[in-house]
Amino acid sequence: MVWLVLGAMWFCGLSSITSNSRMLFAFARDGGLPASSLVARVSPRFKSPHVAVWVSAAAAFLVAVWADAYQAMVALSTRRSTRPTPCPSPPACARAGAAAGASAARGTSGGGRAP
């Protein structure tokens, strides 16, 4: 089970660095970053944006090492809803959730309202 979790974490990190480096390269290629000419370089041997990959890996490493940065990134990447909650109290929310779950199980659209 531990190996499964470690494998999932490895592939999650790998896909994160891959997507981050592609976005970083695209911004640099279009001149949208400081030092764009450096970050937008492509390796003649491997035909890949090696600088963008290493910058993304270094940024991920710094976020992993510096816990305050990790908390800041999590806070920035999540969004709180600004709408007021439709439930006035936790029991009312529980009833509304149970009604929505029951109507979803029946395949009907109950609207999630408490009975």
Side-chain angles (χ1 to χ4, degrees):
M1 185 66 166
V2 171
W3 288 108
L4 179 68
V5 171
L6 289 176
M9 290 170 58
W10 171 262
F11 286 114
C12 181
L14 186 64
S15 66
S16 176
I17 288 178
T18 302
S19 63
N20 287 336
S21 64
R22 286 176 185 238
M23 286 186 287
L24 188 66
F25 172 73
F27 276 115
R29 179 195 61 207
D30 296 339
L33 293 175
S36 290
S37 60
L38 175 68
V39 178
R41 288 186 185 167
V42 176
S43 169
R45 180 177 176 196
F46 297 110
K47 309 273 193 271
S48 65
H50 63 289
V51 176
V53 171
W54 284 111
V55 168
S56 296
F61 179 75
L62 289 175
V63 167
V65 170
W66 187 30
D68 291 339
Y70 176 75
Q71 291 173 355
M73 294 299 288
V74 170
L76 290 173
S77 64
T78 57
R79 180 177 72 100
R80 290 185 65 117
S81 174
T82 57
R83 295 179 297 176
T85 58
C87 303
S89 66
C93 288
R95 285 192 303 272
S103 67
R106 287 191 308 269
T108 61
S109 137
R113 297 184 185 192

